[in-house]
């Protein structure tokens, strides 16, 4: 944080609180452009600097909406949408991300799935000008894979036949996403955006991107997390848990059909994420997220190997793209 920006933040919060004793302690942020600082208030609070974000009003709207439907999100104490500054409740540092070995991890993940279902039950009419995960949006996300991972990171110029395989695969993925029920979704529902609170309930972060999207998306983001690998038996148990609690009431033929859509939705997200992390590497000179490539690439290989509709892409990805990582 520059000295100039630090003074701006301090001046704003000191003026708001009427105190000259405020100390800002930087916290590690996420892949967004927002920055976070812990304040030495009593109790401690968080200052979110979202000046570079374009979704500050959406953050306010989403906070009100989620809280109205029983979701725990940080309370907002002070805010200035124009400046992109928010003083919010401090949920602590106890991320779900840090508890992969916890004896009760399956129970925590069930709680998280209950949160997803609450989000999905929010009436569309209560969402303010919701963005839809439509064909254009899906295309834009998938193009991150070709532009930033294939072209820039792998430095691979696709042949005509390779481009055809990619294009056909993207069309298939898009059709499978668009054919699912579309409900309210978080869009980034993973272990680094879920906090374990002192009473062992869960709190939710980074929810300003609420939108209408495929019903399997948030569940897939949680169970096929880019940052941690949950035990396979736990994943299978939780797929059944969600399906029995909510999924079977939707228009899937059966559990296997539901898992198919879950897998294809995961493929779209993981192709997008590997492209997005590549973009962060090149545009922000930030290599932090490259450490997660192995997990994400493994997800892509496993899903494309599983379904005959993806066989061409599987062969191209496995034998023509991945080897370039080791050249």
């Amino acid at each position: 944080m520059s000295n100039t920006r630090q003074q701006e933040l301090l001046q704003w919060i000191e003026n708001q609180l009427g105190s000259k004793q405020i100390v800002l302690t930087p916290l590690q942020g996420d892949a967004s452009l927002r920055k976070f600082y812990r304040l030495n208030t009593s109790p401690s609070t968080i200052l979110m600097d979202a000046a570079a974000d374009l979704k500050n009003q959406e953050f306010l709207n989403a906070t009100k909406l989620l809280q109205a439907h029983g979701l725990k999100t940080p309370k907002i104490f002070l805010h200035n949408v124009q400046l992109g500054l928010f003083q919010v409740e401090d949920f602590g540092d106890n991320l779900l991300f840090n508890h992969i070995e916890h004896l009760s991890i399956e129970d925590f993940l069930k709680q998280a799935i209950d949160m997803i279902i609450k989000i999905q039950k929010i009436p569309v009419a209560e969402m303010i000008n919701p963005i839809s995960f439509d064909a254009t949006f899906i295309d834009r996300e998938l193009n991150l894979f070709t532009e930033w991972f294939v072209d820039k990171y792998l430095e691979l110029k696709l042949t005509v036949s390779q481009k055809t395989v990619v294009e056909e695969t993207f069309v298939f993925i898009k059709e499978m996403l668009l054919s699912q029920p579309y409900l309210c979704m978080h869009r980034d529902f993973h272990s680094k955006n879920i906090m374990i609170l002192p009473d062992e309930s869960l709190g939710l972060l980074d929810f300003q991107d609420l939108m209408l999207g495929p019903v399997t998306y948030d569940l897939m983001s949680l169970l096929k997390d880019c940052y941690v690998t949950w035990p396979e038996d736990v994943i299978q148990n939780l797929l059944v848990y969600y399906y029995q609690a909510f999924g079977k009431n939707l228009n899937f033929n059966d559990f296997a059909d539901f898992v198919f859509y879950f897998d294809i939705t995961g493929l779209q997200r993981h192709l997008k994420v590997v492209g997005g992390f590549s973009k962060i590497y090149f545009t922000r000179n930030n290599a932090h997220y490259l450490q997660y490539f192995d997990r994400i690439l493994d997800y892509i290989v496993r899903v494309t190997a599983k379904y005959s509709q993806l066989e061409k892409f599987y062969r191209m990805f496995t034998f023509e793209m991945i080897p370039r990582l080791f050249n």
Side-chain angles (χ1 to χ4, degrees), residues 25 29 59 66 86 92 120 122 140 156 186 197 258 277 282:
T25 302
F59 176 76
L66 292 173
F86 299 82
Q120 292 179 337
I122 293 174
R140 186 164 64 247
L156 174 62
H186 179 283
L197 304 178
F258 161 72
F277 286 175
F282 285 106

Side-chain angles (χ1 to χ4, degrees), residues 77-239:
F77 301 120
L78 297 168
H79 70 273
N80 185 310
V81 171
Q82 286 69 38
L83 296 177
L85 297 178
F86 299 82
Q87 183 202 19
V88 303
E89 183 179 4
D90 186 356
F91 270 5
D93 299 306
N94 199 14
L95 293 171
L96 184 65
F97 170 74
N98 298 323
H99 287 270
I100 185 171
E101 302 295 342
H102 198 291
L103 293 176
S104 301
I105 190 59
E106 189 165 338
D107 292 333
F108 282 129
L109 290 169
K110 283 182 179 178
Q111 272 197 67
I113 290 173
D114 293 340
M115 293 169 73
I116 290 173
I117 294 172
K118 283 184 179 180
I119 293 171
Q120 292 179 337
K121 287 183 176 180
I122 293 174
V124 175
E126 294 185 24
M127 300 175 69
I128 299 175
N129 299 322
I131 296 172
S132 179
F133 206 76
D134 59 15
T136 301
F137 196 97
I138 295 169
D139 284 339
R140 186 164 64 247
E141 290 207 327
L142 287 173
N143 285 339
L144 291 171
F145 171 77
T146 50
E147 180 180 354
W148 292 98
F149 180 68
V150 177
D151 293 353
K152 300 288 197 304
Y153 195 82
L154 296 184
E155 297 182 337
L156 174 62
K157 184 171 179 60
L158 296 178
T159 65
V160 172
S161 60
Q162 287 173 327
K163 286 181 180 179
T164 299
V165 170
V166 170
E167 290 167 1
E168 290 176 347
T169 302
F170 284 5
V171 168
F172 171 72
I173 291 171
K174 184 165 55 178
E175 289 175 349
M176 295 307 100
L177 267 64
L178 293 172
S179 63
Q180 296 177 51
Y182 267 44
L183 300 173
C184 182
M185 78 175 190
H186 179 283
R187 193 188 160 210
D188 218 11
F189 198 94
H190 58 69
S191 61
K192 288 191 175 185
N193 284 334
I194 300 170
M195 305 293 298
I196 300 177
L197 304 178
D199 63 358
E200 294 201 336
S201 64
L202 300 182
L204 189 59
L205 306 175
D206 199 20
F207 42 78
Q208 67 283 342
D209 287 326
L210 282 184
M211 65 189 307
L212 289 175
V215 70
T216 59
Y217 195 96
D218 281 347
L219 181 68
M220 170 277 308
S221 300
L222 175 69
L223 299 185
K224 296 293 186 177
D225 196 310
C226 294
Y227 303 114
V228 297
T229 303
W230 306 118
E232 190 59 36
D233 61 328
V234 169
I235 292 174
Q236 294 306 313
N237 291 343
L238 293 171
L239 282 170

